[in-house]
Amino acid sequence: QVAGAVAIHEVLVPALDRLAKGLRAKAKAWDRIVKIGRTHLMDATPIRLGQEFSGYAAQVDEGIRRASLAAAALAGTLPIGGTAVGTGINAPPKLGAKACARLTRATGIRFTEARNHFEAQATRDCVVEAHGHLRTVAVSLTKIANDIRWLGSGPRCGLGELSLPATQPGSSIMPGKVNPVICESVIMVACQVVGNDAAIACAALGGVGSVLELNMAMPVISERLLESVELMANASRILNDSCIAGLEATPAAAATVERSLMMVTSLAPVIGYDASAAMAKAALKTGETIREYCTRTGILDHTQLDRLLDATAMPTPGGKGPGGGCARWRRHAGRNTAATAPVIQQASAPATIARGPIAAKSLRRSGASARSPPIWIAIDGRLAKPQSAKVAMVAPRPVSAPSFAMRARST
C-alpha cells in the first residue's frame, strides 16, 4: 500500500498533469477551428476542434482526481501494527499510529492506521478499490488515443483532420507511411491495466487470496498494481511528448463543415424536424449542400441562411447558436419574426389542399386562410409547398410530443 500510494503520487499524477497541460495547450490553440462533429462515426453538428481537445484535457483532469482517490484508498487503511491476525500481539500499543506519522513526514502523503485491523489485514479490498480508479484512468487514455488515431487517419483517404508526427520510419512494405504507433501503444497499455485489474480482483477473492485472517496473494497484487502505475505514467508521458506536442491541424478539419447534411439541424427549430429530415434526404440524393438546396428551392433566403447556417455560432456553449431554439434564434436574429413566418406542418393527420386528400405530416393549425403565410409540408419524406394555403385538418388525433411549430422570416 505504501509503495502504491507513493508511486501514484510521485510518478503517475505528474505524468497525467503533463499530459493535461499539453492537451489544454492544443485546445486553446485550436479554439477557432470549426469542424464537423461525429456521433456513431457519422456526420453530426459542428464543433470546434478546441472544444474536442478541451474534453480530452478534462478527461485527464478527472484522471488526476481518480488517481488521487486511488492513493488515498491505499494510504488511508494501513494494517501496520496488527501483527499476526489483527490483534496486535507482541506490538507496542501505538506502533501503527507512530509508523503512519513517520511515513507521512517522509513522503508528504497522509497515511493513517486502519480503523479495523481485522478487515484491513484479512482483505485487499482497498487495493481492489484503488486499482478500479486506475482502470478508469486507463479507459480514459484509450478514448483520447483512439480519437486522435481516427482524426489523423489518412492522410488523404481518411478523416485527415490531424497530422500525426512521424515517430518511426513507417511500414516495412509501404514507404513513407506514418502509423499512429504512439496512440496504439497507449491502447495496449490500457489492455494490460484492465488485465491487471482482473488479476488483482481475482487475487483478492475470498477462497483464492483472502482466507480467514490473511490474504495470501499479496505478491501478485502488489506487482500488478505497481506495473499499472508505471505503465500508465510512461504512456502518458510518451503520448504527450511524442504525439500531442507534434500534432498539427489540417485544412480538412474546416473544409467538411459546409458539406455536412447535419447542418440542417439548425433549421429544425425554424422549419420543423420532419421538414428538415426531408431536406437532408433530398440534398443527399442531389449531391447538394443544405445551403445550396435551400437556395435552389427558395425555402429560405440568403440572409436567413447566412444566419441559420453560421457554423461559427453553432458550437457556442449553452445553445446560443442559431440552432439553439426558436426563442434564442430570434434573439440571435435581433427581431421578432412571428408575424410573417411560413409554417411547417408536422402533426400526424390527413390534410386536404388544392388537389385533394394527401397523406401529410402536419401541425394542427386552425384559421388558415388565403392571406395566411405560405405553408410548407412534409409529404412522404419530401418537402412540398401547396398551391393554396388552405389546409383542412380532418379529425387530428391528439399528440403528446412537444409542438414543433417554429417560425422564420417569410421569404
Side-chain angles (χ1 to χ4, degrees), residues 58-118:
Q59 271 192 289
V60 180
D61 287 335
E62 285 296 300
I64 294 172
R65 180 184 66 82
R66 292 181 176 114
S68 299
L69 291 175
L74 296 171
T77 57
L78 284 190
I80 190 167
T83 63
V85 294
T87 60
I89 189 173
N90 291 344
K94 296 184 179 180
L95 172 62
K98 290 181 178 180
C100 289
R102 293 193 62 175
L103 285 170
T104 299
R105 288 195 299 271
T107 64
I109 302 170
R110 186 171 181 270
F111 286 95
T112 57
E113 183 180 2
R115 292 189 298 270
N116 187 300
H117 280 271
F118 307 104

Side-chain angles (χ1 to χ4, degrees), residues 5-375:
V6 170
I8 291 170
H9 180 71
E10 296 183 355
V11 180
L12 179 58
V13 169
L16 290 172
D17 184 63
R18 184 172 179 173
L19 176 59
K21 289 178 180 176
L23 290 167
R24 279 194 293 271
K26 293 299 182 182
K28 183 178 180 180
W30 294 338
D31 193 51
R32 293 182 179 272
I33 300 177
V34 178
K35 51 160 283 182
I36 207 65
R38 294 177 182 86
T39 56
H40 304 270
L41 289 180
M42 308 299 284
D43 298 347
T45 54
I47 186 175
R48 296 197 300 273
L49 186 58
Q51 289 174 320
E52 213 166 19
F53 269 75
S54 74
Y56 304 149
Q59 271 192 289
V60 180
D61 287 335
E62 285 296 300
I64 294 172
R65 180 184 66 82
R66 292 181 176 114
S68 299
L69 291 175
L74 296 171
T77 57
L78 284 190
I80 190 167
T83 63
V85 294
T87 60
I89 189 173
N90 291 344
K94 296 184 179 180
L95 172 62
K98 290 181 178 180
C100 289
R102 293 193 62 175
L103 285 170
T104 299
R105 288 195 299 271
T107 64
I109 302 170
R110 186 171 181 270
F111 286 95
T112 57
E113 183 180 2
R115 292 189 298 270
N116 187 300
H117 280 271
F118 307 104
E119 182 275 336
Q121 191 155 316
T123 73
R124 292 288 78 204
D125 293 355
C126 63
V127 187
V128 175
E129 176 190 355
H131 201 277
H133 289 301
L134 300 182
R135 180 193 60 194
T136 306
V137 178
V139 171
S140 296
L141 292 177
T142 66
K143 172 64 166 64
I144 298 167
N146 189 56
D147 278 9
I148 292 173
R149 177 168 63 167
W150 269 101
L151 295 174
S153 62
R156 291 186 175 178
C157 300
L159 298 183
E161 295 181 359
L162 295 177
S163 176
L164 301 177
T167 55
Q168 63 177 159
S171 167
S172 59
I173 297 177
M174 294 169 278
K177 189 170 184 283
V178 176
N179 292 325
V181 292
I182 300 299
C183 296
E184 290 166 348
S185 69
V186 172
I187 294 171
M188 285 187 279
V189 162
C191 292
Q192 182 63 60
V193 172
V194 172
N196 287 350
D197 189 71
I200 289 173
C202 288
L205 287 173
V208 178
S210 297
V211 180
L212 299 178
E213 276 69 58
L214 185 67
N215 179 283
M216 288 82 71
M218 284 185 280
V220 68
I221 289 175
S222 61
E223 186 179 29
R224 297 281 71 79
L225 171 66
L226 296 175
E227 182 185 55
S228 290
V229 173
E230 182 182 18
L231 284 174
M232 284 198 293
N234 290 341
S236 298
R237 282 193 298 268
I238 293 173
L239 179 61
N240 180 72
D241 298 350
S242 300
C243 182
I244 303 299
L247 279 181
E248 294 181 2
T250 71
T256 57
V257 175
E258 186 73 14
R259 292 167 49 202
S260 173
L261 295 175
M262 292 303 100
M263 292 289 284
V264 79
T265 304
S266 64
L267 305 186
V270 179
I271 67 173
Y273 184 94
D274 287 347
S276 299
M279 182 186 298
K281 293 176 182 177
L284 177 62
K285 289 182 179 179
T286 62
E288 297 170 291
T289 65
I290 296 299
R291 187 187 302 272
E292 291 168 344
Y293 183 87
C294 287
T295 301
R296 179 174 61 82
T297 56
I299 296 175
L300 296 168
D301 62 29
H302 288 289
T303 302
Q304 292 171 311
L305 288 174
D306 288 343
R307 185 181 301 120
L308 292 168
L309 298 180
D310 182 5
T312 61
M314 291 183 195
T316 302
K320 296 179 182 178
C326 184
R328 290 191 177 115
W329 177 78
R330 287 176 184 163
R331 289 198 297 271
H332 179 74
R335 66 188 69 187
N336 190 320
T337 62
T340 58
V343 178
I344 298 299
Q345 303 285 16
Q346 280 190 234
S348 297
T352 302
I353 58 174
R355 297 183 180 178
I358 60 171
K361 290 184 179 179
S362 59
L363 271 173
R364 291 177 291 167
R365 179 175 180 272
S366 60
S369 67
R371 294 184 179 179
S372 299
I375 299 173

